[in-house]
Amino acid sequence: MSDRFSNRSQYVFTSESVAEGHPDKVCDQISDAIVDAMLTANPHARAAIETLATTNYVLVAGETRGAEEVTTRAAIEQIVRDKVREIGYAQEGFHADELEVKVLLHHQSADIAMGVDSNHAKDEGAGDQGIMFGFACTETEEFMPAPIQLANRILLNLSRARHSGEAQGLGPDAKSQVSLLYENGKPVRATSIVLSTQHAAGLSQKQVRELVRPYVMAALPQGWMCDESEFYVNPTGQFIIGGPDGDCGLTGRKIIVDTYGGAAPHGGGAFSGKDPTKVDRSAAYMARYLAKNVVAAGLADYCTIQLSYAIGISKPISFYVSTGGTARVDEAKLEKRLQELVDLSPRGIREYLKLNRPIYARTAAYGHFGRQPDATGGFSWEKLDLVAALQDTFGLKQRKA
């Protein structure tokens, strides 16, 4: 059982996040930019894209089907350079216009395609076996655990300031870490904050500290800032060499950053680089959607949902709901009702959340959850449109979601 449901009256819990310029996040964004390009060309394209990035070098490998016009070497190279430029890399060891791009894509395995494709005898099956988790809680207005939400918010503030030119001298690569004190199960303040951010040569550690301070403060609720002695900015002293030049990056290495910051289970599968027939991605989104609506409806203060699938099989192998003892309704009845409200087959999830759209590059930094649904269909799994149905089912009065 997660420490989120600890019986201790007081404890500290920590989560970390990484910025768009972190080497692994560069790779996640490239992989998802390719997925978006493929889905733009063909909403039913298949993709499993892995990216590696190091000093002035990017390797893109994996398997695809459909959208052949955007999976040529030239097209992939352009996507890579555009994404690296958008992130902000034009440094000597990693430059959008100078890096070498190698493409090693091949056609999707016929054995995998056979399991996923529908025909007259069966519905579309899951693209692989696996387990997926979704989570929600009442700690923040986004129904996310507070440590990861605040860690993401700090880096988003810095990113916006860097791109707008408001904060001069910051580089794309950055990491944040937020430790929160919990009293009687509720977060009350930060006990420490760690922020490492790439910066221009010539800036001292003290100058960087004061440069980032207002963006950290703006991310925290009033009165939550840690003591000055526990505010760590670039603890090594300087951070000039960053991004893939400083550390090799790979797709799918930041799955805890992508989800709940360790406050809830993770099934193990990464999201980025995968089209929505991959239940690693789509079922995790659905599990979050259901958990968030359960909590927003006032049925529980915490909700963890697990789904499992077998390759080629359309129905989930299992469906499990846990509220950590916070439920105001019977959990078994809740499990049953959720499965009645939503088709949990791979096809059903894709159609319900409208996932066959180019909406994934925007998820690949600053978290897949706790974001705002947008007009073009992004973050559809963050909607609260099941709240009324759930409240009606269990006879609860409607509350503001």
Side-chain angles (χ1 to χ4, degrees):
M1 184 64 67
S2 169
D3 280 342
R4 310 309 296 164
F5 313 120
S6 173
N7 290 323
R8 295 168 56 191
S9 62
Q10 190 175 87
Y11 60 92
V12 174
F13 193 87
T14 303
S15 294
E16 74 155 345
S17 183
V18 299
E20 69 215 64
H22 184 280
D24 296 329
K25 278 289 145 207
V26 171
C27 294
D28 285 344
Q29 290 167 95
I30 290 171
S31 293
D32 272 341
I34 294 169
V35 172
D36 279 357
M38 293 182 66
L39 292 175
T40 298
N42 177 2
H44 299 287
R46 303 279 172 81
I49 309 295
E50 309 294 342
T51 302
L52 177 149
T54 187
T55 302
N56 268 337
Y57 183 87
V58 171
L59 169 67
V60 176
E63 56 182 34
T64 65
R65 193 177 89 187
E68 284 78 8
E69 64 271 34
V70 297
T71 54
T72 65
R73 186 193 181 286
I76 296 296
E77 180 175 342
Q78 190 62 52
I79 292 170
V80 169
R81 295 191 191 282
D82 288 347
K83 180 53 66 175
V84 171
R85 187 177 298 109
E86 177 188 319
I87 293 169
Y89 277 114
Q91 60 194 43
E92 183 179 353
F94 198 69
H95 196 296
D97 297 328
E98 298 173 4
L99 58 84
E100 179 184 352
V101 179
K102 188 164 186 176
V103 180
L104 298 174
L105 295 175
H106 62 271
H107 198 267
Q108 183 184 49
S109 161
D111 290 345
I112 293 176
M114 179 174 62
V116 177
D117 292 347
S118 60
N119 55 45
H120 69 281
K122 74 174 189 72
D123 194 7
E124 178 184 294
D128 201 353
Q129 70 178 50
I131 58 175
M132 301 86 209
F133 287 93
F135 180 74
C137 63
T138 56
E139 291 181 13
T140 64
E141 63 182 12
E142 298 88 359
F143 300 99
M144 286 287 287
I148 185 64
Q149 196 69 8
L150 297 181
N152 281 331
R153 196 178 296 166
I154 289 169
L155 294 180
L156 267 170
N157 286 351
L158 288 172
S159 174
R160 289 165 180 158
R162 176 174 64 85
H163 283 294
S164 70
E166 179 182 300
Q168 295 290 326
L170 295 180
D173 196 354
K175 301 175 74 171
S176 65
Q177 185 171 287
V178 175
S179 299
L180 296 184
L181 174 66
Y182 282 73
E183 293 182 347
N184 300 316
K186 302 293 184 183
V188 295
R189 65 177 178 86
T191 59
S192 69
I193 293 173
V194 183
L195 178 63
S196 295
T197 179
Q198 187 182 12
H199 60 87
L203 286 179
S204 69
Q205 184 183 28
K206 182 178 180 181
Q207 287 173 316
V208 174
R209 182 188 187 91
E210 296 312 310
L211 180 61
V212 303
R213 184 188 297 275
Y215 303 105
V216 174
M217 297 286 289
L220 302 175
Q222 188 173 5
W224 278 37
M225 185 61 179
C226 62
D227 294 340
E228 190 66 15
S229 62
E230 295 295 327
F231 182 34
Y232 303 97
V233 176
N234 287 359
T236 63
Q238 70 175 33
F239 185 3
I240 297 170
I241 302 171
D245 186 32
D247 191 10
C248 183
L250 291 168
T251 299
R253 269 205 308 203
K254 287 292 178 284
I255 58 176
I256 302 304
V257 170
D258 284 343
T259 54
Y260 308 104
H266 192 295
F271 302 155
S272 290
K274 298 175 181 178
D275 74 80
T277 67
K278 312 294 192 295
V279 285
D280 276 342
R281 179 167 226 159
S282 57
Y285 290 170
M286 176 56 78
R288 161 64 179 174
Y289 170 75
L290 294 176
K292 183 177 181 181
N293 276 268
V294 166
V295 174
L299 307 187
D301 292 333
Y302 299 93
C303 184
T304 300
I305 290 178
Q306 185 201 57
L307 285 158
S308 70
Y309 292 84
I311 189 169
I313 306 301
S314 61
K315 66 177 183 179
I317 300 302
S318 65
F319 181 79
Y320 169 74
V321 176
S322 172
T323 63
T326 68
R328 299 176 182 87
V329 298
D330 182 83
E331 287 184 350
K333 292 181 179 178
L334 179 59
E335 279 185 2
K336 183 175 185 294
R337 183 56 177 147
L338 290 173
Q339 292 175 87
E340 292 169 348
L341 288 170
V342 178
D343 179 357
L344 295 174
S345 69
R347 181 199 296 275
I349 292 172
R350 287 191 299 104
E351 292 179 350
Y352 188 93
L353 295 178
K354 297 179 172 59
L355 297 179
N356 284 97
R357 295 188 280 190
I359 56 175
Y360 298 106
R362 71 197 75 171
T363 70
Y366 310 113
H368 292 247
F369 308 126
R371 310 282 290 273
Q372 287 296 316
D374 61 46
T376 58
F379 303 102
S380 59
W381 48 93
E382 293 294 312
K383 291 182 177 181
L384 294 173
D385 47 10
L386 275 187
V387 166
L390 287 169
Q391 290 174 332
D392 287 346
T393 296
F394 293 98
L396 295 183
K397 292 181 179 180
Q398 291 193 12
R399 76 175 197 178
K400 186 177 180 181

